């Protein structure tokens, strides 16, 4: 499907708002997916995979999942097909990973943060301000040490296929503009209530900043903000846009405090039921669609922030000194979590970052 056609469909299409309203979604001028190359695979039967994701139809996550499906369908002569279920309609990240383990769902695409209960080393991605640039984050996601984390899922009931970009997380809230850690803590009015992913390092970050963090599934977040159960949350600009959080969030702050990857996953029982030629195709399609997703997420990032400002969000962009104040304020998180996550692993990741940023 051409990007023009797809953008038109998305623009004319609808993302269901938390309030059940319908609103047209735009997308930036996105790169075409790479042409599908490679030989067709042999006939080893037909399979339809059900893939559940949390984000909306206009998100890079959904659009790259469509490309994943197109590769499989094209190179299997239609014998391998994928039905994609967006907007957490099948469940949230934790629930869908459990469904992969029981074999009641074929695929899902969670953030790494809720997956640390399966592979503890993934928590390294939750350390604040670990990646100074996207290039460094991508280099790490495509490194051998990252592949070892994917391989560590083996035997858990989950086949982890590839890392891609959820992205740099930004703070949003409905209470006040935030320029400093003191604004988060609200010295005389009390700390912001912030929804976090179900992950102890994220809880630690916002506790350290003086907020009142509440872990919550992504699918519950829109209504929690709409009802004032939480003041705010933190996600990449593209998610705040495509999941319509700007409807219930007045203020944004470009904190870029954590870079979160996604992991494209398949149920091990589904994977084990595939001929090895199909397995190789699924793995190749996952790698190609993950690379495309990173491209889309990159194209979405700044465009989404501008779209949010056009939709009325007051977005604070922090200068170097203001960023440094947040980095200093969350330093205790490293001291608390480095021993848990593993000093050697952190040093290995930081060495890759150093190599990438010193070029
Ligand atoms: O499909 C991914 C979403 O379910 C979720 O992981 C997005 O970053 C996210 C969050 O804040 O839960």
């Amino acid at each position: 499907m051409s990007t023009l056609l797809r953008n038109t469909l998305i623009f004319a299409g609808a993302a269901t708002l938390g309030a059940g309203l319908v609103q047209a979604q735009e997308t930036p001028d996105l790169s075409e997916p790479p042409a599908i190359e490679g030989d067709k695979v042999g006939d080893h039967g037909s399979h339809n995979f059900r893939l559940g994701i949390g984000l909306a139809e206009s998100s890079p996550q959904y659009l790259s999942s469509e490309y994943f499906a197109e590769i499989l369908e094209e190179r299997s002569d239609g014998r391998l097909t994928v039905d994609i279920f967006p907007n957490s309609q099948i469940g949230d990240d934790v629930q869908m990973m459990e469904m992969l383990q029981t074999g009641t769902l074929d695929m899902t695409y969670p953030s790494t943060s809720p997956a640390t209960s399966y592979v503890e080393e993934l928590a390294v991605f939750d350390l604040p301000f670990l990646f100074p640039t996207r290039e460094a984050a991508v280099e790490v996601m495509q490194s051998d040490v990252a592949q070892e984390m994917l391989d560590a899922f083996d035997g858990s009931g989950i086949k982890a296929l590839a890392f891609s970009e959820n992205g740099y997380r930004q703070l949003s809230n409905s209470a006040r503009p935030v320029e400093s850690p003191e604004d988060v803590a609200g010295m005389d009015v009390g700390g912001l209530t912030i929804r976090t992913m179900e992950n102890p390092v994220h809880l630690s970050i916002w506790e350290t900043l003086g907020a009142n963090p509440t872990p919550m599934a992504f699918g519950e977040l829109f209504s929690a903000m709409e009802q004032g159960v939480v003041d705010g949350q933190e996600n990449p600009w593209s998610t705040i846009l495509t999941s319509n959080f700007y409807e219930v969030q007045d203020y944004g702050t470009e904190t870029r405090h954590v870079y979160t990857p996604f992991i494209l996953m398949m149920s091990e029982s589904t994977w084990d039921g595939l001929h090895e030629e199909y397995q190789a195709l699924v793995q190749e399609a996952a790698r190609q669609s993950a690379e495309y997703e990173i491209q889309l997420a990159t194209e979405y990032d700044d465009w989404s922030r501008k779209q949010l400002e056009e939709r009325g969000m007051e977005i604070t962009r922090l200068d170097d000194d203001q960023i440094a104040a947040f980095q200093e304020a969350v330093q205790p998180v490293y001291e608390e979590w480095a021993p848990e996550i593993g000093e050697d692993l952190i040093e290995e990741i930081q060495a890759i970052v150093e190599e990438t940023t010193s070029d």
Side-chain angles (χ1 to χ4, degrees), residues 52-55 61 88 92-93 96 109-111 114 166 169 195-197 216-218 221 233-236 239 260 262:
I53 66 173
L55 302 191
Q61 186 185 53
S88 303
D92 60 61
D93 288 357
M96 290 195 282
Y109 211 161
S111 292
N166 186 351
R169 306 185 77 87
R195 173 268 178 181
T196 70
M197 293 186 284
M216 184 186 298
F218 184 77
L221 177 51
Q233 63 84 49
E234 41 83 65
N235 253 290
T239 298
T260 304
F262 284 136

Side-chain angles (χ1 to χ4, degrees), residues 9-296:
L9 289 176
I10 288 171
F11 188 86
T16 307
L17 288 174
L21 302 179
V22 169
Q23 182 160 346
Q25 283 289 319
E26 293 175 60
T27 70
D29 183 16
L30 297 171
S31 303
E32 288 278 348
I36 296 172
E37 296 169 351
D39 300 332
K40 292 189 189 293
V41 293
D43 178 356
H44 309 294
S46 295
H47 299 269
N48 174 255
F49 305 128
R50 296 169 69 244
L51 164 58
I53 66 173
L55 302 191
E57 296 88 333
S58 53
S59 66
Q61 186 185 53
Y62 185 92
L63 297 174
S64 62
S65 296
E66 285 186 314
Y67 177 52
F68 171 75
E70 286 160 14
I71 296 169
L72 292 190
E73 193 158 348
E74 167 70 27
R75 292 189 57 195
S76 71
D77 270 343
R79 295 187 187 90
L80 297 183
T81 54
V82 184
D83 292 336
I84 306 166
F85 299 87
N87 300 305
S88 303
Q89 61 186 272
I90 291 184
D92 60 61
D93 288 357
V94 172
Q95 290 166 330
M96 290 195 282
M97 285 190 283
E98 287 166 355
M99 292 169 76
L100 261 57
Q101 287 183 296
T102 59
T104 51
L105 179 66
D106 298 300
M107 301 188 72
T108 192
Y109 211 161
S111 292
T112 50
S113 305
T116 53
S117 54
Y118 295 91
V119 176
E120 291 174 351
E121 290 77 5
L122 290 172
V124 71
F125 290 111
D126 299 312
L127 288 173
F129 302 106
L130 182 67
F131 297 115
T133 65
R134 170 178 277 110
E135 291 70 24
V138 172
E139 191 71 23
V140 168
M141 288 195 294
Q142 296 175 348
S143 69
D144 291 344
V145 64
Q147 183 58 50
E148 286 166 17
M149 294 188 212
L150 296 178
D151 295 344
F153 279 88
D154 290 355
S156 69
I158 293 172
K159 175 67 179 173
L161 296 165
F163 284 108
S164 68
E165 173 169 321
N166 186 351
Y168 279 107
R169 306 185 77 87
Q170 321 287 4
L171 172 65
S172 73
N173 84 88
S174 57
R176 53 183 180 259
V178 170
E179 297 181 352
S180 66
E182 291 74 21
D183 293 336
V184 173
M187 308 319 278
D188 50 354
V189 294
L192 293 171
T193 55
I194 300 291
R195 173 268 178 181
T196 70
M197 293 186 284
E198 292 146 298
N199 173 287
V201 183
H202 282 255
L203 277 174
S204 174
I205 289 170
W206 294 99
E207 281 167 355
T208 303
L209 286 170
N212 297 299
T214 305
M216 184 186 298
F218 184 77
E220 297 162 19
L221 177 51
F222 185 95
S223 53
M225 294 187 290
E226 189 177 40
Q227 293 159 22
V229 171
V230 294
D231 296 320
Q233 63 84 49
E234 41 83 65
N235 253 290
W237 295 133
S238 62
T239 298
I240 297 171
L241 177 70
T242 57
S243 291
N244 302 300
F245 290 174
Y246 60 88
E247 298 278 322
V248 289
Q249 297 278 273
D250 300 324
Y251 306 104
T253 304
E254 195 161 54
T255 48
R256 292 164 63 93
H257 53 279
V258 166
Y259 177 98
T260 304
F262 284 136
I263 303 179
L264 183 59
M265 302 175 163
M266 178 174 271
S267 167
E268 252 178 345
S269 60
T270 302
W271 173 265
D272 291 343
L274 297 178
H275 184 279
E276 63 182 10
E277 203 180 14
Y278 281 176
Q279 289 179 340
L281 175 56
V282 165
Q283 182 62 76
E284 178 62 9
R287 185 189 61 72
Q288 291 172 333
S289 65
E291 282 180 12
Y292 181 51
E293 196 280 345
I294 292 168
Q295 177 66 37
L296 295 181

Side-chain angles (χ1 to χ4, degrees), residues 136 139-140 143-145 347-357:
E139 191 71 23
V140 168
S143 69
D144 291 344
V145 64
E347 283 167 20
E348 195 172 358
I349 300 282
Q350 288 175 330
I352 297 171
V353 171
E354 183 58 38
E355 205 174 290
T356 311
T357 48

